[in-house]
C-alpha cells in the first residue's frame, strides 16, 4: 500500500484496493481472511506483483546486472562464476530485507548454461531450449483428462477438445527445440484416442484405425502446427 501511495494519489482508488485485499477468499462456501499477500488468481494480484517486481528491477539495474523477470520468476545473469554469489546476496537483501518476502528455496540456485536451468516451463541447456519435464507432465495430464474412456462423448468430440490444447501448447513452446518431443506427443495422443475408441490397447488397432482417419476427423498435428508457427518466429 505504501508503494501504491507513491504512484497513485486518488484516495478512493487506494481505499478500494485495500478493501479488496482485506475482503477474504471464499472457498466451498466459507470465507477465510489473511493479512499477508494477495489472493492467487485475484484481479489485483498481477498488478501488485509487478509493483513489487518493479522495485526489484530497479535494484538489479542499479547494480549493473542483466536480468529477465516474468511476474515473480526471474533470472540474473553474470559474466563470471565469481559474480554469482554477490548477485545472490543482492537478491536476498532486496527480497528478504527490503520487501520482507521470501525466496523459494526449491527454485533458487546458482548455475550456468552448461548445467542448465528452468524458466517459464522451458529447460535451457547450452544452446538448446527444450520443454521441461514438469511442463511435459502437465501437458500429458491434460491430454489424459480429455481422453478418459468413461466419457459419454464420441471420438470427434474428444478431438475437438484436444485441438485447442495442441495449438496452445505449440504457441507457448514454439521457441523450443521440440520437434522430437512433439512427434512423440502426437504418437501418444493417437494411441490414447485408439484406446478411447475401442476401450482397449491393442497394437492391431493401429491398422484397424489408421492415421489418415485422424486427419479426416480434424485432429491437429503437433508437428505441422509447430512447423507452421516456427516459421513465423
Amino acid at each position: 500500500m505504501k508503494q501504491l501511495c507513491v504512484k497513485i494519489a486518488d484516495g478512493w482508488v487506494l481505499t478500494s484496493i485495500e478493501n479488496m485485499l482485506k475482503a477474504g477468499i471464499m472457498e466451498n462456501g466459507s470465507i477465510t481472511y489473511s493479512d499477508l499477500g494477495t489472493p492467487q488468481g485475484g484481479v489485483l494480484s498481477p498488478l501488485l506483483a509487478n509493483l513489487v517486481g518493479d522495485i526489484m528491477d530497479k535494484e538489479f539495474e542499479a547494480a549493473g546486472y542483466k536480468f529477465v523477470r516474468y511476474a515473480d520468476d526471474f533470472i540474473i545473469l553474470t559474466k563470471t562464476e565469481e559474480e554469482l554469489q554477490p548477485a545472490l546476496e543482492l537478491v536476498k537483501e532486496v527480497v528478504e530485507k527490503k520487501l520482507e518476502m521470501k525466496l523459494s528455496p526449491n527454485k533458487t540456485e546458482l548455475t550456468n548454461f552448461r548445467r542448465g536451468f528452468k524458466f517459464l516451463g522451458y529447460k535451457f541447456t547450452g544452446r538448446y531450449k527444450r520443454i521441461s519435464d514438469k511442463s511435459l507432465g502437465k501437458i500429458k495430464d491434460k491430454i489424459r483428462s480429455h481422453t478418459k474412456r468413461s466419457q459419454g462423448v464420441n471420438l470427434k468430440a474428444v478431438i475437438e477438445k484436444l485441438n485447442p490444447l495442441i495449438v496452445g501448447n505449440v504457441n507457448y513452446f514454439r521457441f523450443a527445440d521440440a520437434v522430437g518431443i512433439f512427434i512423440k506427443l502426437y504418437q501418444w495422443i493417437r494411441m490414447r484416442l485408439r484406446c478411447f475408441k475401442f476401450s482397449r490397447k491393442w497394437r492391431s488397432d493401429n491398422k484397424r484405425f489408421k492415421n489418415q482417419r485422424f486427419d479426416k476427423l480434424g485432429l491437429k498435428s503437433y508437428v505441422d502446427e509447430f512447423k507452421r508457427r516456427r516459421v513465423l518466429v
Side-chain angles (χ1 to χ4, degrees), residues 51-204:
L51 184 72
V52 172
D54 185 57
I55 299 170
M56 293 166 44
D57 295 346
K58 290 176 180 177
E59 292 284 350
F60 300 156
E61 190 173 13
Y65 289 113
K66 299 291 185 181
F67 62 93
V68 181
R69 181 179 66 84
Y70 183 86
D72 63 344
D73 202 355
F74 61 92
I75 294 174
I76 292 183
L77 305 171
T78 66
K79 292 183 178 180
T80 65
E81 187 175 350
E82 289 72 25
E83 295 176 275
L84 286 174
Q85 192 60 42
L88 178 59
E89 294 303 320
L90 174 65
V91 170
K92 288 182 178 179
E93 182 180 346
V94 173
V95 174
E96 297 179 354
K97 294 182 180 179
K98 187 165 187 175
L99 298 176
E100 298 182 5
M101 301 172 73
K102 292 182 179 180
L103 290 171
S104 172
N106 297 329
K107 295 182 179 179
T108 306
E109 63 174 333
L110 302 179
T111 186
N112 57 33
F113 279 96
R114 179 175 53 81
R115 291 198 300 271
F117 58 91
K118 298 173 185 176
F119 186 59
L120 303 180
Y122 283 76
K123 175 65 183 293
F124 294 83
T125 309
R127 298 180 179 180
Y128 299 101
K129 303 181 293 292
R130 297 183 174 88
I131 303 174
S132 72
D133 292 340
K134 185 177 180 180
S135 296
L136 187 58
K138 288 182 178 180
I139 290 173
K140 286 191 170 185
D141 286 342
K142 288 183 179 179
I143 293 171
R144 287 188 185 98
S145 69
H146 287 320
T147 54
K148 290 180 179 178
R149 302 180 197 177
S150 58
Q151 298 180 80
V153 294
N154 58 28
L155 186 61
K156 188 170 179 59
V158 174
I159 289 174
E160 288 174 354
K161 290 182 181 179
L162 285 173
N163 281 339
L165 178 63
I166 292 171
V167 173
N169 293 157
V170 173
N171 273 334
Y172 189 84
F173 290 108
R174 68 187 185 277
F175 300 104
D177 305 297
V179 172
I181 290 177
F182 282 144
I183 288 173
K184 291 180 180 178
L185 262 180
Y186 190 46
Q187 292 171 343
W188 187 70
I189 283 180
R190 293 199 302 264
M191 180 273 291
R192 294 281 306 179
L193 289 174
R194 287 187 179 101
C195 291
F196 174 86
K197 172 71 175 175
F198 299 112
S199 298
R200 66 190 184 197
K201 185 179 179 181
W202 288 0
R203 285 193 176 184
S204 60

